[in-house]
Amino acid sequence: MSENESACACTSKSSQVALMPSMPSSCVSESCCGASMEKASSMQNHEKAGYRIMPFVEEFIPTDAGDVPMIRTELTYGDILSNINVRLNIKRDDYKIASGLYAVGRPSKDSPVVVTANYKLSFDHLRKALYGRTAWILILDTLGVNVWCAAGKGTFGTNELKRQIGLTGIEKVVGHRKLILPQLAATGVSAVSLKKQTGFEVIWGPVRTEDLGLFLDNDMNADKKMRQVTFGLIDRLVVIPVEASLALKPAFYILAALFILSGISPDIFSFKIAIDRWPLSFAAVLMGIFAGTVLTPVLLPFVYGNAFAMKGLITGFAAGLPVALFWGSREGAQGMIALMLITVSISSYLAMNFTGTTPFTSPSGVEKEMRIGIPLQVSAVILAIILWIIAAF
Amino acid sequence: MKKLRYMTGVTTLKLDQDSCVGCGNCETVCPHAVFQIENKKAVITDPDGCMECGACQNNCPTLAITVEPGVGCAAYIISGWIYGRENASCGGPNGCC
């Protein structure tokens, strides 16, 4: 990057220079007050009432299709902090940037064009991977959804790509007709019809953005490893906070219902008994959420069974046992079984729902296990309710 | 993805070898190495590795591949059972994806 910065003040004779009458025609020194005047003017010319230039934009560079924002490839603390928040399901719904064309370094007409989604996390991964390189980035409007999910839903699709090619005038910016797409976009983009409709050829990039540098250095060739999806421990750990937080809202209703069920007694409803028994069922629910959204993902390859509902049943059994045995013993056999059933059914359902987050489960498989899993889970819940009420009498 | 395997014998993936021209697009885009090109024709070598994402079907120039792609989460499938497959969603505007 530093190489580009020192070169920029002298080499880019852009239209903006003409807009600055006081600007000397010779090269502007950067030594006196930080950024060059030319760079500052390129930013000023893009100021617009009511708008703010994104902090990752370094300056604007002229192209045959108009000025294009040149972006930083180093993430700031602000970027990193908001990326962590998104992983924790905070402000995750609207984490997007404007679609269109961006520049990395000072790309030329021969520089590669890399396409991605307008999810800020995807964008940040990509610019980080392009550190020290020159490239064009074409961002599609996927409503702030990541590449694979958006491709599955068709928003990262042939039509949107065609639309952005038209809007950005990319054919005037580069001399070649090649676009590098993440391989996982193949679910939404048909390379065959894009070529027919626009003349642009799709080069399928690697699955993981972090391999992009190697891919580019290797004459745009991906080896087998780069083409395959993995789901290692780190990948599984990263998705846990979102999984767990999505389970919290329904858990609130379950806990409210359990408070009422816990108070059903010979006096019809006793607030005192409810307060006494509710924490136990609360613990059983928490253990179910823990087993379904934390234990199951972490231990995924090691827990018995192909069906996730089965895996969740096993982790739920292990997590529920201590609560039922040591704390639940005062509720008698019925109470203990009820507590176990609560934990196991919640864990089994949440584990089954985790199939939506994994990159290897087929919808046909999920449907097959659900046809067996859901009736069993529902029966377990009904039995748990009956036993939990009986245990109070 | 050798360690993590899912249900066997369920995939809707089908390949019509007669219309296959051996271009290799399916082998390139498949994230689970389900296809291999043998004697200038694609072969499904690992059907149980298929997650029905639909990338191969979408990029086959001769429509030799068919698969029923979809979202594989429980909430989405339940919604499909209730409202019909075309109207399925995973939790409306506040859903996960």
Side-chain angles (χ1 to χ4, degrees):
Chain A
M1 287 306 294
S2 57
E3 197 186 322
N4 296 320
E5 274 181 36
S6 58
C8 72
C10 304
T11 51
S12 77
K13 286 282 168 280
S14 68
S15 56
Q16 289 126 33
V17 179
L19 294 165
M20 291 283 289
S22 60
M23 194 131 175
S25 58
S26 60
C27 188
V28 180
S29 163
E30 286 191 53
S31 58
C32 66
C33 38
S36 76
M37 285 179 68
E38 193 169 335
K39 196 196 266 179
S41 77
S42 103
M43 294 297 266
Q44 262 170 25
N45 289 339
H46 288 87
E47 280 177 2
K48 210 169 160 188
Y51 292 80
R52 187 164 61 97
I53 293 172
M54 295 302 277
F56 50 74
V57 176
E58 198 160 359
E59 62 175 301
F60 288 83
I61 58 170
T63 72
D64 289 347
D67 289 355
V68 171
M70 181 180 125
I71 57 165
R72 295 185 173 86
T73 52
E74 279 150 327
L75 303 192
T76 61
Y77 286 117
D79 291 323
I80 294 166
L81 194 69
S82 42
N83 286 352
I84 292 172
N85 275 343
V86 163
R87 290 295 195 185
L88 297 175
N89 206 9
I90 300 164
K91 296 182 185 166
R92 180 165 154 265
D93 280 348
D94 196 33
Y95 199 52
K96 58 185 184 190
I97 59 157
S99 56
L101 192 62
Y102 294 81
V104 174
R106 209 156 266 281
S108 69
K109 289 213 162 212
D110 303 321
S111 299
V113 182
V114 188
V115 185
T116 195
N118 76 334
Y119 184 35
K120 172 81 173 5
L121 201 59
S122 310
F123 175 70
D124 281 356
H125 280 314
L126 180 58
R127 61 195 174 107
K128 222 171 97 186
L130 290 171
Y131 174 82
R133 294 173 186 274
T134 51
W136 302 101
I137 297 182
L138 183 63
I139 306 271
L140 305 192
D141 183 3
T142 61
L143 313 170
V145 172
N146 71 67
V147 173
W148 208 4
C149 286
K153 299 205 163 195
T155 42
F156 195 120
T158 316
N159 284 338
E160 169 60 11
L161 185 49
K162 211 174 96 186
R163 194 176 77 95
Q164 290 297 343
I165 289 171
L167 283 175
T168 56
I170 181 88
E171 78 281 352
K172 284 184 263 172
V173 178
V174 290
H176 60 80
R177 290 291 172 267
K178 284 177 184 158
L179 302 173
I180 301 172
L181 263 69
Q183 185 191 321
L184 295 183
T187 303
V189 175
S190 162
V192 181
S193 34
L194 189 84
K195 174 97 194 193
K196 260 185 224 157
Q197 295 177 43
T198 67
F200 275 90
E201 183 191 339
V202 171
I203 311 276
W204 295 112
V207 163
R208 281 166 296 274
T209 312
E210 68 214 44
D211 290 333
L212 186 63
L214 206 61
F215 174 83
L216 291 170
D217 292 340
N218 205 13
D219 283 332
M220 303 204 201
N221 282 309
D223 60 23
K224 258 201 163 141
K225 235 179 94 199
M226 284 189 205
R227 292 251 169 263
Q228 287 197 40
V229 164
T230 51
F231 200 44
L233 181 62
I234 302 289
D235 300 322
R236 302 199 299 272
L237 286 176
V238 162
V239 296
I240 286 175
V242 170
E243 284 296 311
S245 74
L246 287 173
L248 289 183
K249 201 178 148 195
F252 179 80
Y253 294 112
I254 293 171
L255 290 173
L258 276 171
F259 184 82
I260 294 166
L261 290 172
S262 297
I264 296 175
S265 65
D267 319 324
I268 299 173
F269 184 83
S270 157
F271 202 72
K272 200 170 153 260
I273 293 174
I275 286 180
D276 185 49
R277 299 181 76 218
W278 185 54
L280 251 176
S281 59
F282 194 124
V285 171
L286 280 191
M287 277 307 187
I289 295 175
F290 174 71
T293 64
V294 181
L295 274 186
T296 307
V298 169
L299 301 174
L300 199 65
F302 313 109
V303 184
Y304 172 80
N306 283 335
F308 280 36
M310 182 65 177
K311 289 177 188 281
L313 188 135
I314 293 168
T315 55
F317 193 85
L321 213 53
V323 174
L325 277 185
F326 299 114
W327 197 10
S329 53
R330 65 188 171 102
E331 292 290 332
Q334 288 109 333
M336 284 160 79
I337 295 170
L339 290 171
M340 280 305 288
L341 289 172
I342 292 172
T343 308
V344 165
S345 53
I346 290 175
S347 170
S348 176
Y349 178 78
L350 290 175
M352 201 175 69
N353 207 34
F354 187 62
T355 54
T357 306
T358 65
F360 66 98
T361 50
S362 58
S364 295
V366 179
E367 188 148 6
K368 187 185 174 188
E369 75 162 287
M370 282 175 66
R371 287 195 187 281
I372 304 162
I374 295 238
L376 289 176
Q377 287 153 6
V378 171
S379 312
V381 169
I382 294 169
L383 194 60
I385 292 170
I386 295 169
L387 288 174
W388 190 239
I389 293 171
I390 290 176
F393 285 84
Chain B
M1 225 47 170
K2 288 268 140 54
K3 257 195 287 177
L4 285 166
R5 302 291 289 189
Y6 194 46
M7 315 283 277
T8 54
V10 289
T11 185
T12 52
L13 177 70
K14 284 187 186 75
L15 165 70
D16 172 23
Q17 272 205 333
D18 292 337
S19 12
C20 175
V21 290
C23 71
N25 282 355
C26 54
E27 195 185 23
T28 305
V29 297
C30 177
H32 290 294
V34 166
F35 298 92
Q36 255 173 36
I37 304 294
E38 289 170 7
N39 301 323
K40 295 184 178 172
K41 291 271 184 193
V43 181
I44 299 174
T45 50
D46 183 17
D48 290 335
C50 174
M51 61 168 291
E52 300 174 314
C53 71
C56 51
Q57 170 180 257
N58 198 29
N59 281 280
C60 178
T62 58
L63 311 176
I65 300 170
T66 54
V67 63
E68 281 172 40
V71 177
C73 81
Y76 183 87
I77 288 172
I78 291 175
S79 142
W81 286 348
I82 300 170
Y83 305 108
R85 213 172 255 229
E86 298 76 32
N87 307 315
S89 80
C90 42
N94 300 317
C96 65
C97 37

